[in-house]
Amino acid sequence: MKDLYGRNIDYMRVSITDRCNLRCKYCTPYGIKNVNHSDILTYEEILRICKCVSELGIKKIKITGGEPLVRLDSENLIRRIKSLPLIEKVTITTNAVLLQEKLHDFQAIDLDGINISLDTLNAEKYKEITGRDNFKKVWDSIEAALDTDIRIKLNCVSIGGFNDDEFIDFFKLCEKKNIDIRFIEMMPIGYGKQFKSIKGVEIFKLLQNEYSDLYEVKEKRGNGPARYFKSPSMKGCIGFIDAVNHKFCDTCNRIRLTSEGYLKSCLYFNYGIDLRSMIRSGADDESIKEAIKGAIINKPKEHKFYRLEDENKVEVKSMAQIGG
Ligand code: SAM
């Protein structure tokens, strides 16, 4: 991994909107307040920040939200980020409700990967957790995306009492489809605090019971800290992102830009550098880069989920507001 000012940062997550077309109970439930449009970074401002980080050495961008595909003309912004001279990789994470209609554009710009968030394979349960009857649309998007040459991954947040009876169904899906499926521990962030996470190690035990020929896949399969396993009967891999119980802060390689223009270097803490104010008060690129450099150098060494030492420093926003 590239060493940037003494830290191993090589990737920025960029939230392009706080809006979402789903109402997931643990993330963006009904009643959540939207940020004013004027407080959201414009596409020009986002591009400028991406250009600055690329000149500092961060060459990979993940587009997120809210739901990134609900922002008007998001495919055009993604295309423009992808064409910045120093940017090497652009990927997106989406709930896939609007994905199918945009796949053609994403193929045309040679998008480097799509992560699709889906916590259940059951249409009724999907409606229950997301508040919307969109399972078929999402499933059609997944099928269509698998027909392209873009790398597709599925992200499933493990939720006790909700999808813990479906893990084996997700393993079986990996036998049928060439897709990596990653289980993500529910983080005690925003509304996530009200839900029970299933530890990755519990799901791993289930996987081991189901497949005696399981082996760890060592080859790197993306930007993140997931560990991957596979059985010869599977076309894809099963991955684990154990953000809470198997802390991987020492390998955390990312910074995050919120839709309001705060640059956060750790999900857990509530502070960020206000790049929007800097840009809107006329800062030049060199000053913006200095501020970004400061955020990288001062990136906290570790999160403190479950060890609340200084509560007024802890993030209270939801993942959709931060840019999950
Ligand atoms: N709408 C896009 C999507 O669905 O991928 C991007 C934003 S969404 C906030 C990104 C991911 O964060 C989703 O997979 C969602 O399930 C996950 N997420 C939200 N709240 C979470 C929490 N408390 N713990 C773990 N993952 C969470």
Side-chain angles (χ1 to χ4, degrees):
M1 175 150 319
K2 195 168 183 310
D3 185 311
L4 199 64
Y5 313 117
R7 310 307 297 271
N8 58 1
I9 314 295
D10 69 353
Y11 149 56
M12 179 166 74
R13 292 179 78 95
V14 178
S15 172
I16 66 169
T17 178
D18 66 317
R19 267 80 170 161
C20 189
N21 45 359
L22 298 182
R23 284 291 168 270
C24 294
K25 289 180 175 166
Y26 62 89
C27 184
T28 323
Y30 285 100
I32 202 163
K33 233 177 140 261
N34 285 332
V35 171
N36 288 334
H37 278 293
S38 57
D39 289 336
I40 303 241
L41 291 180
T42 64
Y43 283 174
E44 295 310 318
E45 289 167 337
I46 293 174
L47 275 161
R48 185 160 167 210
I49 296 170
C50 288
K51 179 172 166 286
C52 286
V53 297
S54 71
E55 287 167 2
L56 288 171
I58 296 176
K59 311 277 169 79
K60 297 186 221 162
I61 302 285
K62 164 92 73 204
I63 306 293
T64 179
E67 168 50 38
L69 304 189
V70 298
R71 187 158 174 188
L72 197 66
D73 215 15
S74 53
E75 54 280 19
N76 199 24
L77 171 71
I78 296 167
R79 180 186 57 75
R80 290 177 71 194
I81 295 176
K82 177 86 181 149
S83 17
L84 287 171
L86 296 175
I87 292 293
E88 289 169 0
K89 240 182 178 186
V90 179
T91 55
I92 65 166
T93 177
T94 172
N95 59 34
V97 174
L98 299 173
L99 179 63
Q100 193 171 6
E101 58 212 67
K102 306 207 185 236
L103 273 174
H104 182 74
D105 291 308
F106 292 150
Q107 276 186 289
I109 63 165
D110 221 359
L111 191 70
D112 297 287
I114 302 178
N115 288 359
I116 297 177
S117 304
L118 183 66
D119 301 331
T120 174
L121 299 173
N122 174 300
E124 276 310 305
K125 284 168 76 178
Y126 178 91
K127 196 167 151 192
E128 180 194 329
I129 196 85
T130 67
R132 301 279 197 268
D133 195 4
N134 279 331
F135 184 81
K136 179 162 185 331
K137 248 185 138 184
V138 171
W139 193 254
D140 289 348
S141 285
I142 293 174
E143 300 267 20
L146 286 172
D147 274 343
T148 69
D149 49 11
I150 305 174
R151 189 166 195 166
I152 310 296
K153 292 180 192 153
L154 210 99
N155 287 336
C156 169
V157 178
S158 55
I159 311 171
F162 175 72
N163 59 9
D164 41 0
D165 57 345
E166 287 190 68
F167 298 147
I168 293 179
D169 299 339
F170 277 101
F171 304 159
K172 298 288 169 206
L173 183 61
C174 227
E175 290 184 26
K176 286 194 219 118
K177 310 261 182 208
N178 184 10
I179 189 168
D180 289 353
I181 300 179
R182 291 116 54 92
F183 293 100
I184 302 178
E185 288 181 345
M186 173 73 78
M187 286 184 260
I189 287 183
Y191 302 91
K193 289 191 195 96
Q194 300 164 15
F195 290 79
K196 182 177 173 288
S197 179
I198 305 291
K199 291 182 182 170
V201 64
E202 298 301 324
I203 307 174
F204 180 66
K205 275 188 211 151
L206 209 61
L207 184 67
Q208 273 183 315
N209 282 345
E210 205 62 27
Y211 299 92
S212 55
D213 48 7
L214 202 68
Y215 61 93
E216 183 163 1
V217 179
K218 291 287 186 194
E219 158 218 340
K220 194 161 162 41
R221 299 183 79 79
N223 294 327
R227 288 181 66 197
Y228 288 96
F229 299 87
K230 189 176 167 66
S231 140
S233 61
M234 290 176 180
K235 293 186 176 140
C237 298
I238 299 287
F240 294 92
I241 304 183
D242 304 342
V244 182
N245 289 294
H246 177 92
K247 200 152 71 165
F248 43 70
C249 297
D250 52 337
T251 59
C252 178
N253 57 346
R254 62 198 60 187
I255 52 175
R256 294 166 191 266
L257 180 65
T258 72
S259 57
E260 293 169 273
Y262 285 91
L263 188 72
K264 278 175 71 74
S265 52
C266 176
L267 251 185
Y268 172 82
F269 294 100
N270 62 7
Y271 49 80
I273 293 182
D274 185 359
L275 295 180
R276 184 190 70 207
S277 292
M278 285 187 75
I279 291 178
R280 293 188 186 175
S281 58
D284 61 15
D285 281 6
E286 283 320 303
S287 329
I288 294 169
K289 283 196 238 175
E290 268 312 301
I292 297 170
K293 195 168 144 185
I296 295 171
I297 292 169
N298 294 315
K299 181 172 164 67
K301 293 264 186 299
E302 57 177 11
H303 73 59
K304 292 188 167 56
F305 291 128
Y306 301 129
R307 198 153 49 88
L308 300 181
E309 283 171 3
D310 193 350
E311 284 196 41
N312 59 11
K313 289 188 187 160
V314 176
E315 185 59 86
V316 291
K317 291 192 168 116
S318 78
M319 285 291 257
Q321 290 166 320
I322 302 165

